[in-house]
Amino acid sequence: MTLKLHCFGESGNAYKAALTLELGGLDWTPVFVDFFHGATRTPEFRAINPMGEVPALETPEGVLTQSAVIQDWVAQQSGRFGFHDNDERREILRWQMFDNHKVSGVAGPLRFNMNFLPPEKRSEGANVFLAMRLRAALKVLDAHLEEAEWLALGRPTIADLGMCGYLFYPEPFAFERVQYPAIDAWLGRISALPGWKHPYDLMPGNPSDRQQGGPQ
Amino acid sequence: MTLKLHCFGESGNAYKAALTLELGGLDWTPVFVDFFHGATRTPEFRAINPMGEVPALETPEGVLTQSAVIQDWVAQQSGRFGFHDNDERREILRWQMFDNHKVSGVAGPLRFNMNFLPPEKRSEGANVFLAMRLRAALKVLDAHLEEAEWLALGRPTIADLGMCGYLFYPEPFAFERVQYPAIDAWLGRISALPGWKHPYDLMPGNPSDRQQGGPQ
């Protein structure tokens, strides 16, 4: 059975799942979710994921949601990028949580506000706050990566494939690789992994598509 | 060895760890972190946790950080509130991630901004944005709890002891139990668990202490 990943190109959280599927070599296909026309708020989508978010992965065992959960399942299926014991599992989890809370959980809304929200709805106060929080977290991340080749273990794991979720996107969101040399080098190591693809090459939908009326 | 939890009363993330330790019946003691006087930014604290956050738990195996990681380890030690297989583990993880990203990850900063930040540093725009996001997440949570007694499984787990992290605090942060009947009832089930304690009774430090010059 081909695994179906409900996703769209602009979603860094969906990218985490897509990249783990792709680099893990599983048989998967993206299903485009028209987020920018309200698809995640429809009853049809809420039946797939009551949390109203991408990504969602259809598997033979049922639907999985939350990118970290999908990554965990995919790693177990592929035997790649996962853990071998509870200590490794918790070290991966530690960085997934930091990412979710302080990096992706801030970069995602900030990038949305700065690029995809209609200008009249943008809040300067909100964006200043988010940018301040993001920079503090990236500083912690950069310091860690000065000492470590990969985030959690001595090899790439789903922690790396998660933390990078928003960091390859070209739109402005208070992050520039040149300002964080260790993050920059680590992103280079990720994009050098065999089979790596940019989010806009791995999932349907991107800003220029939308200007032309959608990807399909 | 008595486990040492670096924490302070106002931290809902530390409360998740403290409550799991307490209800799990482990031998633990809190170590007060004077967050409001900059303790988490000191070299001494960064040596314990380079992420600069509470909670941090000193165990015989080393220091654990990130509340979800501590909860996972404590559940394994105590045999309570944890998982029995990978499916259960991922269902718990799903709600921990939703909490971390959309509930605690928003309620924490919002409560801080509204109550603990000097008035001249408060940003109305940031708080309006955070309150909007929090309410959307609480609506999803309330709908789920209309159908489920406990968040992840048919019994209380670390997902419940995590999601409630900020929801027992009395300070205003755009959350009132009466507006979310299913959340209200679920919080009642948590506080009815034998041995439950309010965050300000479980950890040192609270707003009225600080008005008097600190808890010690």
Side-chain angles (χ1 to χ4, degrees), chain B residues 48-94:
Chain B
I48 296 171
N49 183 8
M51 290 168 175
E53 300 173 337
V54 298
L57 184 70
E58 291 186 52
T59 81
E61 301 160 30
V63 175
L64 294 173
T65 68
Q66 289 291 329
S67 59
V69 169
I70 295 172
Q71 288 190 296
D72 182 282
W73 185 87
V74 168
Q76 196 173 4
Q77 297 294 312
S78 71
R80 300 200 64 192
F81 307 111
F83 51 82
H84 299 317
D85 58 35
N86 278 322
D87 286 346
E88 288 194 357
R89 180 174 62 77
R90 281 192 280 263
E91 188 60 15
I92 288 172
L93 180 60
R94 186 164 81 97

Side-chain angles (χ1 to χ4, degrees), chain A residues 53 72 76 90 102, chain B residues 53 72 76 89-90 102:
Chain A
E53 300 172 337
D72 181 281
Q76 195 173 8
R90 280 192 281 262
K102 296 282 180 80
Chain B
E53 300 173 337
D72 182 282
Q76 196 173 4
R89 180 174 62 77
R90 281 192 280 263
K102 296 283 180 78

Side-chain angles (χ1 to χ4, degrees), chain A residues 93-113:
Chain A
L93 179 60
R94 185 164 82 97
W95 287 101
Q96 286 181 311
M97 284 289 165
F98 184 76
D99 168 49
N100 191 55
H101 187 177
K102 296 282 180 80
V103 181
S104 293
V106 179
L110 179 59
R111 173 167 156 271
F112 180 85
N113 290 353

Side-chain angles (χ1 to χ4, degrees), chain A residues 61-76:
Chain A
E61 302 161 29
V63 175
L64 294 174
T65 68
Q66 290 291 326
S67 58
V69 169
I70 294 171
Q71 288 189 295
D72 181 281
W73 185 87
V74 168
Q76 195 173 8

Side-chain angles (χ1 to χ4, degrees), chain A:
Chain A
M1 172 188 156
T2 301
L3 301 163
K4 289 183 183 169
L5 183 71
H6 296 261
C7 63
F8 58 94
E10 290 92 340
S11 169
N13 288 317
Y15 179 58
K16 300 172 188 185
L19 188 60
T20 309
L21 284 160
E22 185 73 8
L23 298 185
L26 297 197
D27 176 21
W28 73 285
T29 190
V31 177
F32 177 64
V33 176
D34 197 357
F35 172 82
F36 290 95
H37 291 98
T40 54
R41 292 194 297 268
T42 62
E44 293 74 20
F45 189 82
R46 296 272 166 161
I48 296 170
N49 183 8
M51 289 169 176
E53 300 172 337
V54 298
L57 184 69
E58 291 187 51
T59 81
E61 302 161 29
V63 175
L64 294 174
T65 68
Q66 290 291 326
S67 58
V69 169
I70 294 171
Q71 288 189 295
D72 181 281
W73 185 87
V74 168
Q76 195 173 8
Q77 298 293 312
S78 71
R80 300 200 65 193
F81 308 111
F83 50 82
H84 298 317
D85 58 35
N86 277 323
D87 287 345
E88 287 194 358
R89 180 174 62 76
R90 280 192 281 262
E91 189 60 14
I92 288 173
L93 179 60
R94 185 164 82 97
W95 287 101
Q96 286 181 311
M97 284 289 165
F98 184 76
D99 168 49
N100 191 55
H101 187 177
K102 296 282 180 80
V103 181
S104 293
V106 179
L110 179 59
R111 173 167 156 271
F112 180 85
N113 290 353
M114 288 177 65
N115 298 278
F116 306 138
L117 201 63
E120 70 274 14
K121 290 193 178 177
R122 292 179 196 176
S123 160
E124 180 68 13
N127 292 353
V128 166
F129 172 79
L130 292 169
M132 177 191 71
R133 277 178 73 81
L134 180 62
R135 289 194 185 101
L138 291 172
K139 200 172 151 190
V140 169
L141 179 62
D142 199 55
H144 178 67
L145 288 168
E146 281 176 9
E147 311 291 331
E149 191 175 2
W150 301 103
L151 271 184
L153 305 173
R155 59 184 192 269
T157 68
I158 53 174
D160 300 282
L161 305 185
M163 185 72 81
C164 74
Y166 281 91
L167 304 182
F168 288 114
Y169 284 106
E171 300 84 14
F173 60 96
F175 168 67
E176 296 193 38
R177 284 173 64 156
V178 68
Q179 297 178 324
Y180 304 92
I183 293 175
D184 181 48
W186 162 78
L187 289 173
R189 290 191 286 277
I190 291 175
S191 58
L193 292 171
W196 178 85
K197 288 183 182 169
H198 188 278
Y200 290 143
D201 296 326
L202 198 53
M203 301 181 292
N206 65 59
S208 58
D209 272 346
R210 276 187 291 120
Q211 286 167 0
Q212 294 158 26
Q216 287 170 340

